[in-house]
Every structure is written in structure tokens, then in C-alpha cells.
Amino acid sequence: MALITLPGGMRFRQRTHWRLQTRTPSSGPGLDGRQQYLTREARTWSCSYQVEGGWDASADGAWGGWLSFLDDLRGPLNSFLLPVPNGRTPYAAPGEILFVTDWNGGFLYESGSGFVVGEGNPTVAADAPAGATILQLTGLSGDFLRRDAVFSINGWLHRVASNTDGTVRFNPPLRAPVTAGTVVEIGAPKVRVRLPSDDAADEAHNFSQLRGLYMLDVVEAFER
């Protein structure tokens, strides 16, 4: 699965929350008449975005760049790295540093000017296997990563469930093992995604009148 580069000059706004779609298979009624369930980790990220700037002829790579990008995607066959807003803002642009807030809503990081605390992205403090749900992160930027903030590691997306002095519990579990020193992207996290279907590819080409927004539905890409 090829990795396609997003065109420049655009902003991406979430239409929905990033959500872990759960597929819980059932084995059918048991002997006692109660419904029985098989438990396994079968959750994948999905989200819907609005694409802003696709009509802007003055923007670098826009107005034609979007359609060329969709041509390269070939529907759901190829993947791309999509920026994920962190903190309170719903907007994201490729490579943009976004707002991250602490537990009380105070700003820890400021968009466009780097990290206020001066530490940048944290790193993983110790090796962790695939399937782990807890990581120890380094430095103040790891200590203050708030609940419901997201982070990415090598294009895999995770959301913080709790954080105690840098000991971060998150969902979903690690998709691949990580080693000590691996960078944890919190300033501008990105997730590797693809279009979920041919219908989603058709929708991404559609727009409303008066230069309306393009719509983008995505799912997590596992084929890497």
C-alpha cells in the first residue's frame, strides 16, 4: 500500500470525533439462554473531515491538487498521513503545531510558536511490546499530557485515558512494539489512514454549490 502525500494549502476540520469502531463478534446464545460474546481487540479508528481550501486558486497545491491527490489514492487502495487536531481546536493543517491544554484548560503549548514548556515532543522511556496499553513518557510534555489528548507513534494513533506523572494509559493498545527513545508526536500527531470504500472516494469528489467543502471519510490503514 503506497503512502500518498497530502496536497498543501489546505486545512482539515473534523466533522465527527475520532472514534474507535468496535466489532464485537457473538457466538450466539449459550446453553443457559444468555447471549455469549467473544472478546478480542478489534477496534479501528475512523473519522469524517471537511477539506477547506480545495477551491482556493492562490493556495499552494490547491484547486486541482486535491483532485490529483484523489487520483493517486485510487480509492481505498493507497494510504496517507492525516493530521489530527489536539487539544481544543478542531482544525489541522499538515505540519502544524496545535494547541494542547492541561487538565484545567490552561495552555501548555502554543500553535505556531513551539512548546511553551520548552521540551517539545516526549519520548518513550522504556521498551514496550505490541498490545501494551501503558507507556512511561519522558519530561514535562509527557507529564502534562491531558486525558483525551491524542498522540501518534510512527503513524499509529492513540488517545490518553489517564496520565499519572508521565505514566500514560491509552487506547487502543500498541499496534507494534516500540523501543526506548521513540518519539511520541503530540504537537502535530498524524495517523495513517485510507478511504474505507469506493463510495467514500466518490463522496470525496463531491461538493456543494458556491465552492462548497469537500468531504473526507477515513479509516485506519493497517496495510503498511
Side-chain angles (χ1 to χ4, degrees):
M1 176 174 282
L3 183 63
I4 309 301
T5 302
L6 278 175
M10 296 182 179
R11 293 175 66 87
F12 300 84
R13 179 171 183 167
Q14 288 181 219
R15 300 168 62 197
T16 66
H17 289 295
W18 277 95
R19 58 198 181 277
L20 281 168
Q21 292 184 317
T22 302
R23 299 289 183 263
T24 307
S26 171
S27 60
L31 294 177
D32 58 2
R34 294 180 297 177
Q35 189 75 26
Q36 306 294 304
Y37 292 96
L38 301 175
T39 58
R40 66 182 184 186
E41 179 55 52
R43 296 177 293 169
T44 55
W45 288 109
S46 65
C47 195
S48 296
Y49 273 61
Q50 296 175 346
V51 182
E52 301 180 356
W55 285 95
D56 189 353
S58 64
D60 179 27
W63 204 4
W66 175 248
L67 298 180
S68 297
F69 164 72
L70 294 177
D71 291 343
D72 286 337
L73 277 186
R74 302 179 65 187
L77 296 182
N78 291 321
S79 63
F80 57 100
L81 289 171
L82 183 66
V84 181
N86 218 340
R88 302 300 183 184
T89 174
Y91 292 97
E96 180 181 9
I97 293 179
L98 300 163
F99 290 110
V100 180
T101 58
D102 63 17
W103 295 82
N104 297 315
F107 287 117
L108 290 176
Y109 314 120
E110 184 177 349
S111 178
S113 62
F115 295 103
V116 175
V117 295
E119 291 227 348
N121 289 311
T123 60
V124 177
D127 295 354
T133 58
I134 295 176
L135 287 176
Q136 181 66 45
L137 304 184
T138 62
L140 289 177
S141 54
D143 290 347
F144 288 100
L145 191 61
R146 69 178 178 84
R147 185 181 185 183
D148 86 8
V150 295
F151 63 89
S152 62
I153 300 177
N154 298 325
W156 298 109
L157 185 67
H158 305 279
R159 183 154 52 209
V160 176
S162 64
N163 184 359
T164 304
D165 299 326
T167 301
V168 176
R169 184 174 65 84
F170 54 88
N171 284 292
L174 290 180
R175 310 298 200 181
V178 298
T179 57
T182 298
V183 174
V184 177
E185 296 286 350
I186 63 175
K190 292 182 177 65
V191 58
R192 189 165 178 175
V193 295
R194 61 173 176 81
L195 300 178
S197 65
D198 292 334
D199 289 341
D202 289 340
E203 183 184 9
H205 284 82
N206 294 332
F207 54 88
S208 62
Q209 295 180 349
L210 301 176
R211 296 189 174 187
L213 300 173
Y214 290 102
M215 303 301 175
L216 184 64
D217 294 330
V218 297
V219 295
E220 187 175 11
F222 281 91
E223 303 82 356
R224 304 191 175 193

